[in-house]
Each structure stands twice: as C-alpha cells, then as structure tokens.
Amino acid sequence: MIDLRALRDDPDRLRASQRARGEDDAVADRLLDLDSRHRSALTRFESLRAEQKSAGRSVSSASPEEREPLLAAAKTLSSQVKEAEAEADRLAADLSGVLAEVPNIIEEGAPAGGVDDFTVLDKAGAPRELGFTPRDHLELGELLGAIDMDRGAKVSGARFYFLTGVGAMLELGLLNMAMQRAAANGFTPMIPPVLVKPETMGGTGFLGEHAPEVYHLPADDLYLVGTSEVPLAGYHANEILAADALPHRYIGWSPCFRREAGSYGKDTRGIIRVHQFNKAEMFVYTTAERAHEEHLRLLGWQREMLDLLELPYRVIDTAAGDLGTSAARKYDCEAWVPTQGAYRELTSTSNCTDFQARRLNIRYRDPEGKPRFATTLNGTLATTRWIVAILENHQQADGSVVLPEALRPFVGREVLEPVGAKG
RNA sequence: GGUGGAGUCGCAUAGUGGCCGAGUGCGCGCGCCUCGAAAGCGCGUGAAGGGAGACCUUCCGAGGGUUCAAAUCCCUCCUCCACCGCCA
C-alpha cells in the first residue's frame, strides 16, 4: 500500500512510476478525488459524533422534566451520526479498494518497461568449455537416480516430481549450506508455517495480480505460501519494533507452492518450473534510510552463494513492469544453463520499501520515539531450481557430476555417479 | 470435535449501561532534593486519523447488534488456559 499523504504532496511521483510500469497513471487522480471526499465525509461524521456525545451527556444529567425533549434531540442526532458514519465508511472502502490495486512506487534508477527491458549489471564466471554434448538436467537427474518426474506425475500430476537418493541429499545439502551461511552472516534461521491466513497473504501483496498463482484451501480459508517471504513478513505484523534491534534478518526454509497458472507449455521438462519446491529465503526488516544498502548486501550474499557453487551467472536490474506489486526495485541473478544456451533466474531480491509494512502494520520507533513504517526486503539464497544449474554446469562426459568444493561437506560426497538403470 | 474460564494503556490490575471522557501500582521520562546517587516528592508518560491551530474523532482481542448513551448487555469469530474425546 502506498502512502496517501505522500501522494497528496507529490502525485507526479506515482504518475511517473505507473507510466514506467506500463500501467494507468490516472489512478493518481482517482485516489486524490476519493481521498478528499473521504476526508470531508469523515469531518462531517466526527463533528456530528461530538455533538451526539455531548447531547448524550446532557440527557444523563437532566432533570426528569427536561429529559424528554433532550432525548428526542439525541435520537435525531443518533440517526444522523449513523448516516454520516455509513457515508464515511463507504468512501473509506472505495478508497482502500482503489489503493489495494496500486502497485508500489518504483525506486529511482529502476529501468522503465516490461519483462525484456532489464539492464544487465554484471556477468560472473564464464560458461565452461565442455568438449562434449551436454545432457540436460533431467537426463542427468535420471542417470544419477536423482530425479523421478514420471512417478511425480503418477502420484500428484504434472509439474510434480520426486527427488530420490543423491537428488534428495543434494537438495538438503544445498539448502543447508544456504542456511548455514546466512546464519554465519547474522540471520536468524526460521522454519515458518506454510499455510497462512488471508490477511497475511494479502498483506504481502500476493492476492492482487498474483492471485491465480496461489493455492487456496477453501475449507479452512487458508493459503499455501509460494515463498516463506509471506510468513516472514507476517511474523512482525501489527508490531512496533525497537529501533536499536533493527535490522532484523531472517533466513527462512520452507516448501513453496505455486499453481503456475498461465504458464502452460512453458518449462514442462524437468524441475525448472514446478508446483512445489524448497527455498531458503532471506527476509529483512530495516529503515527506509538503510534499505538501499541492505538491498545491495542481499545481492552480495546471493552472489557469494553462486560463486561458491562455481556457477556462471549474470545480474540483472529488473524493469519496472516486471517488478510485481510490492517491489520498488528488484535484482535477479540468472545462471547459465548450457543445454538451453540461456541464463535462467536462480535468485531474486526485492526492496519493498514500506509497501508491505503498511499493509501488515509493521512499524519501528524513530529516534524521536515516533512510530514509522518499516522497510522490508527479501532475497533468494537457494532453491530446488539451483539443482538444474549445478547438474548441467558441473557435468562430465560420462554423465557424472563433480560437486563444487564448497558444497561437498553438505552433501557428503564429491562426485555424483550414474547408477545402473533400475526402473 | 466437545465443555468451562479468560483476553482492559509496556507489565500487573480496577472497572456489571451515563461520575470510564478508562482509575491505581510498577516500569519509563523530566524536574525538585543531593557533592553525587538511592529514597522521597511533583509533573508527564499508547496508537491511528482529521484540522493552520485551539481541539476533535476512533481504538478496552476482532467484527456485528441493542441503546439517546457500551470496556460493561446480546450475537459471531479469533487467541490463550483447563478438562474430555480422537489422532500422526
């Protein structure tokens, strides 16, 4: 949710942001109009209410003979107050309805445009010269006895899979490595609930344009999270945090569930795009002043993981139209996938400014003791998808995969060897 | 799943329709006192919104309702505690 008072002072900021995102900039005027109508309705209600309260008090202190006319007047006021309140409530609902649709205002510097208008900020590590025809991650996964898509489909349907044997161990090792590194960097490890209430899901901004992506359990009115960002953002909802405790840095490990609606036919092979996967996610609460440098720090920790796993990747500055509802700025790291000849997203880090904090009512005390909305940031530190890049980039001609050194202690072996066909 | 009890200002508590427009204690802040401190005394001490301001409105777990008037009465829900049943 954006700041209405800031909008009153400078509506052009929202207009410019909307244009950069390729969205309607007239919402600014609709908001301003609703806002001023709401405020005058509110003022009317409040003064009537004040009058009613004093009228009520005069009834209680009146002598029996004065009582009757005072009571009649109070009754009249009471119905006027109800009416005025209903009008103010109606306008407040209209206003928050429009407000709920408005995405965050982009950070200065974010490239304008859509999905393909990103800026490449950096490239790291060159793709290996293989000297043989690379196998894709699924072929390798089957050869290594690590991935079983067929039985995933048998049990749960398309886009489900089993990680088997070394595949299971590889994922555990990878995620554990991420958790350990984050903990060493001062993050608090968290294993959060993955079913959340509507206000938590809505508060993080996922029930807007992303709503069709989200699994919903109608019997309990709970949502399955697509990332632990959701419960970690809800963790401090409706709290006022002590300023000297900031930043709060959490590293969450959770399964993530995504319906992948609208991506039919895309990435249907293997585990690149699946309905359920695991993820280690960094989540930070801090102040507006410190947010930008924290964002770069999150990116730094992501790059460190990718470097340790010896993966070639590039860093992109996502364009405004591809930021999603909550983010003001987003950097993605994309790893090289040899069989696709392309870079594919492995990490994403977003600065959500105070957008989520407003919806979830997360504040801290500034040095003057006044509550202010916090800034939230998040970033991937490892996911199941990383297995794709690890297998493909570190494969050998015989189908074995030599694990990067930093990962070995977490997986408990140096090389993943092909197993005989076992069905 | 069932039954009973509870949820009030940072914490603890008072409050069973109008004197609650929320008291008191602790904590915290400022001041007096003191060489300095403790004790003592005095003053202050939540959030949100509107207004240039004086000030006004809302918030007693959440949401509805009754009433001229609700922390207080009624309904629904949530959370916690206790017990019963079932269960990985």
Side-chain angles (χ1 to χ4, degrees), chain A residues 308-328:
Chain A
L308 282 167
L309 294 171
E310 299 167 37
L311 296 171
Y313 64 93
R314 68 179 183 187
V315 182
I316 69 167
D317 192 350
T318 306
D322 197 26
L323 285 174
T325 307
S326 300

Side-chain angles (χ1 to χ4, degrees), chain A residues 236-252:
Chain A
H236 286 303
N238 300 314
E239 293 182 24
I240 300 180
L241 306 169
D244 56 11
L246 295 176
H248 283 288
R249 295 194 179 100
Y250 298 107
I251 177 77

Side-chain angles (χ1 to χ4, degrees), chain A residues 190-210:
Chain A
M190 304 279 270
I191 298 180
V194 294
L195 285 169
V196 299
K197 298 190 214 174
E199 61 260 36
T200 307
M201 191 54 88
T204 45
F206 284 101
L207 292 183
E209 57 174 336
H210 283 109

Side-chain angles (χ1 to χ4, degrees), chain A residues 94-251:
Chain A
D94 289 353
L95 181 60
S96 61
V98 176
L99 206 52
E101 298 299 311
V102 179
N104 201 356
I105 293 176
I106 62 167
E107 184 180 277
E108 201 179 330
V115 200
D116 300 319
D117 296 314
F118 58 83
T119 310
V120 176
L121 296 178
D122 197 11
K123 284 193 181 189
R128 247 172 81 216
E129 291 296 334
L130 288 176
F132 58 90
T133 306
R135 297 174 168 91
D136 80 0
H137 79 277
L138 181 55
E139 193 181 347
L140 287 165
E142 287 173 343
L143 212 56
L144 300 168
I147 301 172
D148 189 336
M149 295 300 298
D150 293 342
R151 292 198 175 93
K154 177 173 73 179
V155 170
S156 301
R159 295 200 192 282
F160 286 97
Y161 57 96
F162 284 77
L163 291 181
T164 58
V166 292
M169 298 312 283
L170 177 59
E171 180 177 276
L172 283 172
L174 172 68
L175 284 160
N176 199 14
M177 177 178 163
M179 296 297 287
Q180 302 260 350
R181 293 209 60 81
N185 286 326
F187 284 72
T188 304
M190 304 279 270
I191 298 180
V194 294
L195 285 169
V196 299
K197 298 190 214 174
E199 61 260 36
T200 307
M201 191 54 88
T204 45
F206 284 101
L207 292 183
E209 57 174 336
H210 283 109
E213 269 294 286
V214 179
Y215 284 104
H216 180 224
L217 279 64
D220 301 284
D221 199 17
L222 289 170
Y223 293 88
L224 270 166
V225 303
T227 161
S228 55
E229 172 190 344
V230 174
L232 291 177
Y235 189 67
H236 286 303
N238 300 314
E239 293 182 24
I240 300 180
L241 306 169
D244 56 11
L246 295 176
H248 283 288
R249 295 194 179 100
Y250 298 107
I251 177 77

Side-chain angles (χ1 to χ4, degrees), chain A residues 369-406:
Chain A
K370 286 285 151 212
R372 288 180 57 197
F373 285 108
T375 288
T376 58
L377 302 103
N378 61 77
T380 324
L381 206 53
T383 68
T384 303
R385 187 187 273 181
W386 289 40
I387 291 173
V388 173
I390 292 170
L391 294 183
E392 291 207 15
N393 282 289
H394 297 303
Q395 65 177 298
Q396 310 299 310
D398 64 357
S400 65
V401 171
V402 178
L403 293 180
E405 210 169 313

